[in-house]
Amino acid sequence: MPSVAVKLYSVFFKFILKHRLQNRIQGPTDESSNPYGVTTRPEESVSASNPSFTDGVATKDIHIDPFTALSIRIFLPESALVPPEQPEPKSKPGSSQHDDSNSIYNRRNSYGPPNMGVSRNDSRRTSFEGLNLRSESNAYRGYSPLPQNCRKLPIMLQFHGGGWVSGSNESVANDFFCRRIAKLCDVIVVAVGYRLAPENKYPAAFEDGLKVLNWLGKQANLAECSKSMGSGALGVGAEFKKAEVQRHIVDAFGASMVEPWLAAHGDPSRCVLLGVSCGANIADYVARKAVEAGRLLDPVKVVAQVLMYPFFIGSVPTHSEVKLANSYFYDKAMCTLAWKLFLPEEEFSLDHPAANPLIPDRGPPLKLMPPTLTVVAEHDWMRDRGIAYSEALRKVNVDAPVLEYKDAVHEFATLDMLLKTPQAQACAEDIAIWVKKYISIRGHEFSY
């Protein structure tokens, strides 16, 4: 059973959440009152972005749609700055076989900054120093490195939870979770700040998720265009000319400028979707649309998705929905109220395609879905629905394992109070093990 502290915090959490939901449902819901939308609430504790590698991850915020509040936060792990697989240097005659500076550099080749333990006169430093990757304050400026020193990392789109009406990609809890995932999975995390209900009802949040996926494809194509137009610049002396060409591309495209962190370090052909609670519903929708789009999304390819305690529901109650209806943090009554705030009144149904993943004639065919990892908690009333979806995927030969955590509650790995528990850390590590099966470069796959 959950601890006494968790039970007490759950009572307080549910009281506050119920009060906020009732205020939302009693307030004005006319979309014309705020067509721009909101992506965070005043009561939400947010964490400022930081381009320095605090705790091994640098972050930046980008507003990607001029017509809505849609934004993203990019989490870049420091390992992206390490050159890809440099061979160990040969020892010079008369020198020690285990020189301290070289051994430190090699031991940190996968995790730390590239210059640690390397002398200032070492030739391996020159290519990075010329790039001006960091300022004196250790902030990462994001200038594109030279092709031979560019390490490409998979991209993970992350969708936060909050029952459609709250939560934020910039919240303290989500920032901590995304940093953890970026380091464990060795990926660039793009946390999506989708528009919240009731100001923007369905399908706004789903469309925002798909819009970010399309934006990734656009960024990849712009970066390739920039690279090809600057390919004539060869040698160190031509770097200035190459920078001028890239600046011209930025000016020509205006708002569609190349995002330097993704251009330098992102590999959209290894894209993973991760959704938390209601964010899992968005991730599944985006995965379905990616399947339908096929090669139209090139070079973006969704290779896997992770659904963490998905916010699925249906009109016919499951065993857990009956037994655990009054479970911790998010009970069934409050979640039903959240669905009423999210779905348009004329479309409200617990079997809505956004709510129930197993309704008939919901395309595309399940056999075309990407590998899907589902995380469920023992004391979550929505657990059976997530397990049933995973079973349906396995029946059509999709790799769709379920990770069930004993004595766990809904959002046990992402809720602010529970983020630093051993169970939350173990869940993130388990996700990393599975995800690396699909994002590792051929020849470096993890066994599973």
Side-chain angles (χ1 to χ4, degrees):
M1 294 292 291
S3 66
V4 174
V6 169
K7 292 178 180 178
L8 290 175
Y9 186 70
S10 173
V11 173
F12 173 76
F13 182 91
K14 289 167 75 171
F15 175 80
I16 297 296
L17 180 61
K18 184 177 181 180
H19 177 72
R20 290 174 179 171
L21 288 174
Q22 288 175 340
N23 286 344
R24 300 268 181 260
I25 207 164
Q26 292 170 4
T29 58
D30 183 11
E31 201 169 332
S32 62
S33 63
N34 191 357
Y36 190 74
V38 295
T39 58
T40 189
R41 301 292 182 192
E43 64 269 13
E44 192 80 47
S45 297
V46 298
S47 176
S49 60
N50 187 350
S52 300
F53 284 97
T54 305
D55 195 27
V57 180
T59 60
K60 69 157 67 170
D61 295 331
I62 303 177
H63 180 213
I64 66 172
D65 184 5
F67 302 107
T68 70
L70 174 62
S71 64
I72 61 171
R73 172 166 290 186
I74 301 177
F75 295 80
L76 179 71
E78 196 169 15
S79 60
L81 303 188
V82 180
E85 296 194 5
Q86 286 198 2
E88 290 196 23
K90 296 180 180 180
S91 59
K92 297 180 181 179
S95 64
S96 172
Q97 185 69 24
H98 299 284
D99 181 79
D100 288 342
S101 62
N102 287 338
S103 61
I104 293 174
Y105 177 78
N106 291 326
R107 283 199 305 271
R108 293 184 56 86
N109 190 44
S110 298
Y111 302 99
N115 297 331
M116 179 169 288
V118 183
S119 67
R120 293 193 60 85
N121 294 325
D122 195 314
S123 61
R124 289 170 299 179
R125 285 185 58 96
T126 57
S127 58
F128 278 88
E129 287 183 335
L131 298 174
N132 211 6
L133 289 176
R134 305 192 198 188
S135 65
E136 292 298 324
S137 62
N138 200 40
Y140 183 55
R141 298 181 180 182
Y143 296 160
S144 297
L146 297 174
Q148 63 267 29
N149 287 322
C150 183
R151 182 165 183 244
K152 296 288 188 177
L153 297 181
I155 298 174
M156 177 180 286
L157 289 191
Q158 188 264 357
F159 305 94
H160 66 82
W164 305 121
V165 300
S166 61
S168 169
N169 66 324
E170 302 173 5
S171 70
V172 173
N174 199 68
D175 186 87
F176 183 94
F177 173 74
C178 289
R179 286 176 179 274
R180 171 182 280 171
I181 289 294
K183 289 186 291 185
L184 286 174
C185 296
D186 201 20
V187 297
I188 299 174
V189 175
V190 177
V192 180
Y194 56 85
R195 289 169 291 169
L196 303 176
E199 291 87 350
N200 293 90
K201 292 179 177 287
Y202 173 86
F206 286 65
E207 290 176 342
D208 287 350
L210 184 59
K211 190 175 293 183
V212 173
L213 188 70
N214 288 323
W215 179 83
L216 278 182
K218 185 177 183 180
Q219 282 296 313
N221 289 323
L222 285 171
E224 187 62 29
C225 177
S226 173
K227 180 180 176 182
S228 62
M229 290 184 70
S231 61
L234 300 175
V236 177
E239 278 303 301
F240 179 77
K241 181 179 178 182
K242 183 175 180 179
E244 288 299 316
V245 173
Q246 291 175 337
R247 185 178 297 116
H248 173 72
I249 292 175
V250 170
D251 294 339
F253 283 99
S256 301
M257 69 175 65
V258 177
E259 204 301 300
W261 290 12
L262 294 179
H265 304 293
D267 180 2
S269 67
R270 293 181 289 159
C271 182
V272 178
L273 309 176
L274 185 149
V276 175
S277 190
C278 64
N281 298 45
I282 301 176
D284 189 63
Y285 170 84
V286 173
R288 289 173 180 269
K289 290 300 181 182
V291 169
E292 292 175 353
R295 296 185 63 87
L296 293 176
L297 272 177
D298 283 350
V300 176
K301 183 178 181 182
V302 175
V303 297
Q305 67 170 339
V306 179
L307 309 180
M308 299 182 68
Y309 17 83
F311 210 63
F312 296 151
I313 196 172
S315 59
V316 180
T318 64
H319 176 71
S320 65
E321 289 174 355
V322 174
K323 183 180 178 181
L324 302 171
N326 194 33
S327 57
Y328 304 98
F329 294 101
Y330 294 88
D331 60 38
K332 187 174 182 180
M334 284 194 294
C335 291
T336 302
L337 186 58
W339 277 108
K340 288 182 178 179
L341 287 167
F342 178 64
L343 295 174
E345 186 176 353
E346 63 277 8
E347 294 184 36
F348 178 76
S349 168
L350 296 183
D351 285 327
H352 190 281
N356 189 344
L358 295 176
I359 59 172
D361 302 323
R362 184 177 185 247
L366 290 181
K367 65 181 180 181
L368 300 178
M369 291 294 287
T372 302
L373 173 66
T374 304
V375 175
V376 297
E378 181 183 9
H379 297 288
D380 182 4
W381 67 269
M382 292 175 273
R383 60 184 295 277
D384 283 358
R385 199 78 58 174
I387 294 173
Y389 183 48
S390 181
E391 290 174 347
L393 289 170
R394 289 198 300 274
K395 285 181 181 178
V396 291
N397 298 320
V398 175
D399 182 21
V402 174
L403 293 179
E404 181 175 4
Y405 292 83
K406 300 297 181 183
D407 295 328
V409 297
H410 191 81
E411 287 222 49
F412 71 92
T414 46
L415 205 61
D416 51 1
M417 177 194 180
L418 306 174
L419 269 171
K420 297 184 180 181
T421 62
Q423 199 170 40
Q425 175 69 26
C427 177
E429 292 172 355
D430 292 341
I431 289 172
I433 291 172
W434 185 82
V435 164
K436 286 180 179 179
K437 177 182 177 183
Y438 293 100
I439 63 175
S440 296
I441 298 174
R442 185 175 296 276
H444 297 272
E445 293 88 347
F446 278 62
S447 61
Y448 176 73

PDB file of all heavy atoms in Angstrom, residues 70 157 159 192 194 204-214 282 285-286:
ATOM      1  N   LEU A  70       1.132  27.701 -28.520  1.00  0.00           N
ATOM      2  CA  LEU A  70       1.930  26.481 -28.606  1.00  0.00           C
ATOM      3  C   LEU A  70       3.419  26.789 -28.501  1.00  0.00           C
ATOM      4  O   LEU A  70       3.956  27.620 -29.221  1.00  0.00           O
ATOM      5  CB  LEU A  70       1.650  25.763 -29.934  1.00  0.00           C
ATOM      6  CG  LEU A  70       2.503  24.531 -30.249  1.00  0.00           C
ATOM      7  CD1 LEU A  70       2.291  23.437 -29.208  1.00  0.00           C
ATOM      8  CD2 LEU A  70       2.180  24.009 -31.655  1.00  0.00           C
ATOM      9  N   LEU A 157       9.693  13.397 -28.271  1.00  0.00           N
ATOM     10  CA  LEU A 157       8.614  14.353 -28.017  1.00  0.00           C
ATOM     11  C   LEU A 157       7.910  13.935 -26.742  1.00  0.00           C
ATOM     12  O   LEU A 157       7.449  12.789 -26.631  1.00  0.00           O
ATOM     13  CB  LEU A 157       7.609  14.385 -29.175  1.00  0.00           C
ATOM     14  CG  LEU A 157       8.042  15.001 -30.500  1.00  0.00           C
ATOM     15  CD1 LEU A 157       6.821  15.184 -31.406  1.00  0.00           C
ATOM     16  CD2 LEU A 157       8.728  16.325 -30.295  1.00  0.00           C
ATOM     17  N   PHE A 159       4.888  14.737 -23.863  1.00  0.00           N
ATOM     18  CA  PHE A 159       3.613  15.416 -23.615  1.00  0.00           C
ATOM     19  C   PHE A 159       3.266  15.257 -22.137  1.00  0.00           C
ATOM     20  O   PHE A 159       3.100  14.137 -21.649  1.00  0.00           O
ATOM     21  CB  PHE A 159       2.515  14.823 -24.497  1.00  0.00           C
ATOM     22  CG  PHE A 159       2.845  14.841 -25.965  1.00  0.00           C
ATOM     23  CD1 PHE A 159       3.432  13.737 -26.577  1.00  0.00           C
ATOM     24  CD2 PHE A 159       2.586  15.955 -26.739  1.00  0.00           C
ATOM     25  CE1 PHE A 159       3.752  13.742 -27.922  1.00  0.00           C
ATOM     26  CE2 PHE A 159       2.901  15.978 -28.092  1.00  0.00           C
ATOM     27  CZ  PHE A 159       3.485  14.871 -28.693  1.00  0.00           C
ATOM     28  N   VAL A 192       6.404  19.409 -25.088  1.00  0.00           N
ATOM     29  CA  VAL A 192       5.398  20.188 -25.819  1.00  0.00           C
ATOM     30  C   VAL A 192       4.478  20.924 -24.856  1.00  0.00           C
ATOM     31  O   VAL A 192       3.869  20.310 -23.968  1.00  0.00           O
ATOM     32  CB  VAL A 192       4.569  19.266 -26.740  1.00  0.00           C
ATOM     33  CG1 VAL A 192       3.522  20.078 -27.501  1.00  0.00           C
ATOM     34  CG2 VAL A 192       5.489  18.528 -27.704  1.00  0.00           C
ATOM     35  N   TYR A 194       1.293  22.245 -25.019  1.00  0.00           N
ATOM     36  CA  TYR A 194       0.043  22.295 -25.799  1.00  0.00           C
ATOM     37  C   TYR A 194      -0.997  23.157 -25.082  1.00  0.00           C
ATOM     38  O   TYR A 194      -0.901  23.429 -23.877  1.00  0.00           O
ATOM     39  CB  TYR A 194      -0.495  20.884 -26.048  1.00  0.00           C
ATOM     40  CG  TYR A 194      -0.725  20.059 -24.799  1.00  0.00           C
ATOM     41  CD1 TYR A 194      -1.917  20.156 -24.069  1.00  0.00           C
ATOM     42  CD2 TYR A 194       0.238  19.157 -24.342  1.00  0.00           C
ATOM     43  CE1 TYR A 194      -2.136  19.397 -22.938  1.00  0.00           C
ATOM     44  CE2 TYR A 194       0.036  18.391 -23.212  1.00  0.00           C
ATOM     45  CZ  TYR A 194      -1.150  18.517 -22.502  1.00  0.00           C
ATOM     46  OH  TYR A 194      -1.354  17.761 -21.372  1.00  0.00           O
ATOM     47  N   ALA A 204      -7.757  20.697 -29.966  1.00  0.00           N
ATOM     48  CA  ALA A 204      -6.628  21.631 -29.935  1.00  0.00           C
ATOM     49  C   ALA A 204      -5.338  20.971 -29.450  1.00  0.00           C
ATOM     50  O   ALA A 204      -4.288  21.091 -30.094  1.00  0.00           O
ATOM     51  CB  ALA A 204      -6.976  22.822 -29.040  1.00  0.00           C
ATOM     52  N   ALA A 205      -5.376  20.293 -28.306  1.00  0.00           N
ATOM     53  CA  ALA A 205      -4.164  19.676 -27.760  1.00  0.00           C
ATOM     54  C   ALA A 205      -3.596  18.620 -28.703  1.00  0.00           C
ATOM     55  O   ALA A 205      -2.378  18.500 -28.870  1.00  0.00           O
ATOM     56  CB  ALA A 205      -4.465  19.056 -26.395  1.00  0.00           C
ATOM     57  N   PHE A 206      -4.477  17.845 -29.341  1.00  0.00           N
ATOM     58  CA  PHE A 206      -4.033  16.814 -30.279  1.00  0.00           C
ATOM     59  C   PHE A 206      -3.399  17.448 -31.521  1.00  0.00           C
ATOM     60  O   PHE A 206      -2.362  16.980 -32.013  1.00  0.00           O
ATOM     61  CB  PHE A 206      -5.218  15.930 -30.684  1.00  0.00           C
ATOM     62  CG  PHE A 206      -5.652  14.972 -29.602  1.00  0.00           C
ATOM     63  CD1 PHE A 206      -6.182  15.440 -28.413  1.00  0.00           C
ATOM     64  CD2 PHE A 206      -5.529  13.616 -29.775  1.00  0.00           C
ATOM     65  CE1 PHE A 206      -6.584  14.566 -27.413  1.00  0.00           C
ATOM     66  CE2 PHE A 206      -5.923  12.728 -28.787  1.00  0.00           C
ATOM     67  CZ  PHE A 206      -6.458  13.206 -27.593  1.00  0.00           C
ATOM     68  N   GLU A 207      -4.024  18.505 -32.015  1.00  0.00           N
ATOM     69  CA  GLU A 207      -3.471  19.192 -33.189  1.00  0.00           C
ATOM     70  C   GLU A 207      -2.122  19.830 -32.868  1.00  0.00           C
ATOM     71  O   GLU A 207      -1.234  19.853 -33.722  1.00  0.00           O
ATOM     72  CB  GLU A 207      -4.466  20.255 -33.670  1.00  0.00           C
ATOM     73  CG  GLU A 207      -5.729  19.672 -34.284  1.00  0.00           C
ATOM     74  CD  GLU A 207      -6.728  20.739 -34.668  1.00  0.00           C
ATOM     75  OE1 GLU A 207      -6.596  21.887 -34.160  1.00  0.00           O
ATOM     76  OE2 GLU A 207      -7.645  20.446 -35.452  1.00  0.00           O
ATOM     77  N   ASP A 208      -1.977  20.319 -31.640  1.00  0.00           N
ATOM     78  CA  ASP A 208      -0.695  20.904 -31.236  1.00  0.00           C
ATOM     79  C   ASP A 208       0.410  19.854 -31.243  1.00  0.00           C
ATOM     80  O   ASP A 208       1.545  20.123 -31.667  1.00  0.00           O
ATOM     81  CB  ASP A 208      -0.809  21.532 -29.849  1.00  0.00           C
ATOM     82  CG  ASP A 208      -1.597  22.835 -29.859  1.00  0.00           C
ATOM     83  OD1 ASP A 208      -1.885  23.335 -30.968  1.00  0.00           O
ATOM     84  OD2 ASP A 208      -1.925  23.346 -28.777  1.00  0.00           O
ATOM     85  N   GLY A 209       0.083  18.659 -30.761  1.00  0.00           N
ATOM     86  CA  GLY A 209       1.075  17.586 -30.763  1.00  0.00           C
ATOM     87  C   GLY A 209       1.533  17.234 -32.167  1.00  0.00           C
ATOM     88  O   GLY A 209       2.737  17.080 -32.431  1.00  0.00           O
ATOM     89  N   LEU A 210       0.578  17.132 -33.088  1.00  0.00           N
ATOM     90  CA  LEU A 210       0.911  16.818 -34.474  1.00  0.00           C
ATOM     91  C   LEU A 210       1.662  17.969 -35.137  1.00  0.00           C
ATOM     92  O   LEU A 210       2.571  17.752 -35.948  1.00  0.00           O
ATOM     93  CB  LEU A 210      -0.364  16.505 -35.254  1.00  0.00           C
ATOM     94  CG  LEU A 210      -0.189  16.064 -36.699  1.00  0.00           C
ATOM     95  CD1 LEU A 210       0.669  14.797 -36.789  1.00  0.00           C
ATOM     96  CD2 LEU A 210      -1.540  15.831 -37.367  1.00  0.00           C
ATOM     97  N   LYS A 211       1.317  19.193 -34.750  1.00  0.00           N
ATOM     98  CA  LYS A 211       1.987  20.363 -35.324  1.00  0.00           C
ATOM     99  C   LYS A 211       3.473  20.364 -34.960  1.00  0.00           C
ATOM    100  O   LYS A 211       4.322  20.724 -35.782  1.00  0.00           O
ATOM    101  CB  LYS A 211       1.302  21.636 -34.829  1.00  0.00           C
ATOM    102  CG  LYS A 211       1.744  22.900 -35.544  1.00  0.00           C
ATOM    103  CD  LYS A 211       0.923  24.102 -35.068  1.00  0.00           C
ATOM    104  CE  LYS A 211      -0.521  23.990 -35.489  1.00  0.00           C
ATOM    105  NZ  LYS A 211      -1.317  25.194 -35.101  1.00  0.00           N
ATOM    106  N   VAL A 212       3.801  19.942 -33.743  1.00  0.00           N
ATOM    107  CA  VAL A 212       5.204  19.892 -33.326  1.00  0.00           C
ATOM    108  C   VAL A 212       5.952  18.818 -34.104  1.00  0.00           C
ATOM    109  O   VAL A 212       7.108  19.008 -34.498  1.00  0.00           O
ATOM    110  CB  VAL A 212       5.318  19.651 -31.807  1.00  0.00           C
ATOM    111  CG1 VAL A 212       6.774  19.429 -31.404  1.00  0.00           C
ATOM    112  CG2 VAL A 212       4.744  20.835 -31.033  1.00  0.00           C
ATOM    113  N   LEU A 213       5.304  17.686 -34.354  1.00  0.00           N
ATOM    114  CA  LEU A 213       5.945  16.634 -35.151  1.00  0.00           C
ATOM    115  C   LEU A 213       6.242  17.137 -36.561  1.00  0.00           C
ATOM    116  O   LEU A 213       7.339  16.908 -37.100  1.00  0.00           O
ATOM    117  CB  LEU A 213       5.055  15.393 -35.207  1.00  0.00           C
ATOM    118  CG  LEU A 213       5.689  14.154 -35.850  1.00  0.00           C
ATOM    119  CD1 LEU A 213       6.784  13.583 -34.948  1.00  0.00           C
ATOM    120  CD2 LEU A 213       4.637  13.077 -36.119  1.00  0.00           C
ATOM    121  N   ASN A 214       5.288  17.847 -37.165  1.00  0.00           N
ATOM    122  CA  ASN A 214       5.517  18.415 -38.491  1.00  0.00           C
ATOM    123  C   ASN A 214       6.600  19.499 -38.457  1.00  0.00           C
ATOM    124  O   ASN A 214       7.380  19.642 -39.402  1.00  0.00           O
ATOM    125  CB  ASN A 214       4.209  18.997 -39.048  1.00  0.00           C
ATOM    126  CG  ASN A 214       3.217  17.921 -39.443  1.00  0.00           C
ATOM    127  OD1 ASN A 214       3.595  16.874 -39.961  1.00  0.00           O
ATOM    128  ND2 ASN A 214       1.934  18.162 -39.195  1.00  0.00           N
ATOM    129  N   ILE A 282      -2.382  11.994 -26.225  1.00  0.00           N
ATOM    130  CA  ILE A 282      -1.870  12.828 -27.313  1.00  0.00           C
ATOM    131  C   ILE A 282      -0.783  12.075 -28.073  1.00  0.00           C
ATOM    132  O   ILE A 282      -0.760  12.075 -29.312  1.00  0.00           O
ATOM    133  CB  ILE A 282      -1.322  14.157 -26.767  1.00  0.00           C
ATOM    134  CG1 ILE A 282      -2.419  14.928 -26.031  1.00  0.00           C
ATOM    135  CG2 ILE A 282      -0.756  15.004 -27.908  1.00  0.00           C
ATOM    136  CD1 ILE A 282      -1.928  16.214 -25.368  1.00  0.00           C
ATOM    137  N   TYR A 285      -2.272   9.536 -30.363  1.00  0.00           N
ATOM    138  CA  TYR A 285      -2.881  10.191 -31.528  1.00  0.00           C
ATOM    139  C   TYR A 285      -1.808  10.593 -32.540  1.00  0.00           C
ATOM    140  O   TYR A 285      -1.955  10.358 -33.750  1.00  0.00           O
ATOM    141  CB  TYR A 285      -3.664  11.418 -31.074  1.00  0.00           C
ATOM    142  CG  TYR A 285      -4.133  12.315 -32.198  1.00  0.00           C
ATOM    143  CD1 TYR A 285      -5.316  12.042 -32.879  1.00  0.00           C
ATOM    144  CD2 TYR A 285      -3.387  13.433 -32.583  1.00  0.00           C
ATOM    145  CE1 TYR A 285      -5.748  12.859 -33.921  1.00  0.00           C
ATOM    146  CE2 TYR A 285      -3.809  14.257 -33.614  1.00  0.00           C
ATOM    147  CZ  TYR A 285      -4.993  13.969 -34.276  1.00  0.00           C
ATOM    148  OH  TYR A 285      -5.403  14.784 -35.313  1.00  0.00           O
ATOM    149  N   VAL A 286      -0.718  11.190 -32.049  1.00  0.00           N
ATOM    150  CA  VAL A 286       0.365  11.619 -32.932  1.00  0.00           C
ATOM    151  C   VAL A 286       0.990  10.402 -33.627  1.00  0.00           C
ATOM    152  O   VAL A 286       1.321  10.458 -34.820  1.00  0.00           O
ATOM    153  CB  VAL A 286       1.426  12.415 -32.147  1.00  0.00           C
ATOM    154  CG1 VAL A 286       2.635  12.715 -33.018  1.00  0.00           C
ATOM    155  CG2 VAL A 286       0.821  13.714 -31.618  1.00  0.00           C
TER     156      VAL A 286
END
